[in-house]
Amino acid sequence: LADPAKACFPMREFDGWRAQADKTIFIRVSQTRYYRLDLGASCPLLMEKGVHLITQTTGSQIMCNAANWDVRVSRDVPGSLPSHCIVKTMTPLSQAEADAIPKEFKPQ
C-alpha cells in the first residue's frame, strides 16, 4: 500500500483471524481488510482446534506494525496457560492478495 496511514487500524476494528501455519496468521479488519502477521518463532498452539487469540496492545490502540502486537494463544479449557507468540512483521494485503488466501485460512 502506498499510503502508510492505510496500513494502520484501530484495534477495535480487528474482527477475525485464522492461522495458515504455526508462524503465519491472517487477520481481518473492518470486514474487508486483511493483514498477514508473520511470527518470529513457531507457535504450534495456533494449529490446534478450540484455541483463541488473546490480543493486547503495547501502548497505542492503533495497530501499525509488529511492535504494536502482544499476542497469546490459549486453549478454550479452564486453567489453560496461554502461549506467547511474537509478531515479527505485519503486512497489509492488497485485495488480490486477500482474494488469494485459501478459503480454509481466510478469516470469516
Side-chain angles (χ1 to χ4, degrees):
L1 294 172
D3 180 358
K6 287 198 181 349
C8 301
F9 64 90
M11 188 59 179
R12 70 180 177 278
E13 293 180 4
F14 171 80
D15 61 15
W17 70 278
R18 290 240 175 112
Q20 181 176 25
D22 62 2
K23 290 178 76 172
T24 307
I25 303 171
F26 289 111
I27 65 168
R28 185 179 70 178
V29 175
S30 299
Q31 304 292 314
T32 57
R33 293 167 55 197
Y34 292 86
Y35 294 78
R36 186 181 70 238
L37 301 180
D38 292 297
L39 305 179
S42 172
C43 203
L45 199 54
L46 282 173
M47 303 309 295
E48 292 188 19
K49 295 239 184 272
V51 297
H52 63 272
L53 285 189
I54 301 168
T55 54
Q56 297 176 317
T57 57
T58 54
S60 173
Q61 291 290 309
I62 303 297
M63 309 306 282
C64 291
N65 58 53
N68 297 129
W69 290 92
D70 181 359
V71 175
R72 290 174 173 77
V73 183
S74 182
R75 290 180 181 93
D76 292 334
V77 177
S80 173
L81 293 176
S83 175
H84 195 225
C85 305
I86 297 168
V87 177
K88 184 174 68 171
T89 60
M90 176 180 130
T91 307
L93 301 181
S94 67
Q95 188 60 54
E97 291 169 323
D99 291 345
I101 299 171
K103 186 176 182 197
E104 65 269 27
F105 303 123
K106 192 168 187 175
Q108 299 300 320

